[in-house]
Amino acid sequence: MTGKAADIGLIGLGTMGAALAANIAEKGFRIAVWNRHDAVTREFAAAAGPLADRIVPAATLADLVAAVRPPRAVILMVPAGPVVDQQIAALGPLMARDDLIIDAGNADFHDTDRRTAEAAAQGPRFMGIGVSGGEEGARHGPSIMAGGAEQDWARVAPVLTAISARYDDTPCAVHMGPGGAGHFVKTVHNGIEYADMQMIAEIYGVLRDGMGMSAPEIAPVFEGWNRGALQSYLIEITAQVAAATDPLTGKAILDVILDTAGQKGTGRWTAIEALHLGAAVPVIEAAVAARNISAALAERRAGEAVFGPAPHRLGASAPTRAVLEQALIAGKILCYAQGFAMLSRARDEFGWPLPLPDIARGWRAGCIIRSAMLNDMARALAEDPGRNLILAPFFADHLSRAIPCLRQVVALGAMNGLPVPALSAGLAWFDQMRTARSTANLIQGLRDFFGLHGFDRIDGATGQHGPWAQG
Ligand code: 6PG
């Protein structure tokens, strides 16, 4: 360790922590690092190459704290959950009241709110930031969704902005509001990530099971779509995953990967929080449910044994690739519209700034859901942040063309036993959102019939009851 103080500290040199620390050092900041296994810290410093003179390996937590210039800022890159609380407890006594702990993991925003409140009572200060982009993003430019007090953000913004991804020179590092606001936005990001991936997987299912295409045949389809309106990181890597070969068997890797999807919980949190907020995110809910169903492999096998496999093959009714592309475009717009509407609901409910156009801008590069369409979404949200995205003329126009294709794909799926739950949920939501006279009048009638809950009349009278109330 040399005498010169570090600008910032970082705890946890796993894949993401190591990548973030190297990114920080590369941008010219001096960073002190500590890992609970000292060998990991030393290996990281030894492998840092030209960045080594900006990296200060610390053997103990106390050394780490001592190495950072006060008022200190220390980033936690440790697993979400109790480990974060343990780290805060261990750091607290070593830090000054005015020092700052930054949790950059995928925390539940309720935990971040709690930790922020606890920190305010006793110090050191605390903020939670969402970091997206996987290892590659952490190393070369993630999208950063920051929560926390304005003054804490101002303190660390120079570092976090410098290491973030850039889109047309705009840094993808946005302050969302106090407390858990940053982790909340990251949670919604992940919900959208689940939905985006699920819809892509459903279209892959139509190509594979409905149209009998092999993975190597499917790869160029996605590659082509990545040059159009669907241009995005997830479509790009879908083409790469579909094209990859398993070194063990020589088969397409997709054909040897077990079809049970894992999850760490952020997509589920999005669905749960949406329900609490009274926001409708059925595409995200369907994506979470699809992962849960995918995990029930034994039951699915038993189901196929009892009912037989679905017919699947579409034959002459197979949609064109252009129809599938449009269906995916429609699904994507609908899903993002739901995600942004949920953010808007949270902004009202929690009183956070949650700047929607800036959120869309911040997602244009660095994060997993980065896509060309987010630039158009940022523009539409800047025009009118209070309007649902499907009503923005640019997207209304897109949808007018794309919805018939989505309808065709969902209908073919239903008729041929091809599960397309997220796309179906998107279509059903769209059809509800464009129906001025819904069927909830019957729901109200039934509620009043069995429980005298009352209803409003179309002539404006409120708190009314039906004729059944008289007897
Ligand atoms: C990101 C990702 C990242 C991680 C998810 C995966 O934005 O970089 O969202 O945070 O990939 O946590 O979540 P699941 O394991 O639940 O799919």
Side-chain angles (χ1 to χ4, degrees), residues 106 131-134 186 189-190 193-194 262-266 291 368:
N106 267 335
V131 176
S132 176
K186 176 60 168 57
H189 165 284
N190 280 29
E193 174 185 304
Y194 275 47
Q263 54 181 315
K264 294 192 204 75
T266 42
R291 285 208 195 183
I368 302 294

Side-chain angles (χ1 to χ4, degrees), residues 304-387:
E304 183 165 316
V306 171
F307 298 106
H312 285 161
R313 283 302 155 92
L314 300 173
S317 63
T320 63
R321 288 175 196 184
V323 165
L324 289 171
E325 182 185 17
Q326 288 299 318
L328 203 44
I329 290 172
K332 192 175 170 85
I333 296 171
L334 299 171
C335 154
Y336 280 64
Q338 292 171 12
F340 280 108
M342 174 174 173
L343 288 170
S344 163
R345 184 64 73 100
R347 188 189 49 200
D348 298 344
E349 179 75 17
F350 302 135
W352 293 331
L354 297 188
L356 298 193
D358 287 341
I359 293 174
R361 284 187 200 109
W363 286 349
R364 290 179 302 182
C367 67
I368 302 294
I369 64 168
R370 61 186 181 264
S371 72
M373 223 184 263
L374 275 162
N375 196 34
D376 302 315
M377 291 180 181
R379 215 172 289 135
L381 290 163
E383 276 163 24
D384 182 355
R387 173 184 60 192

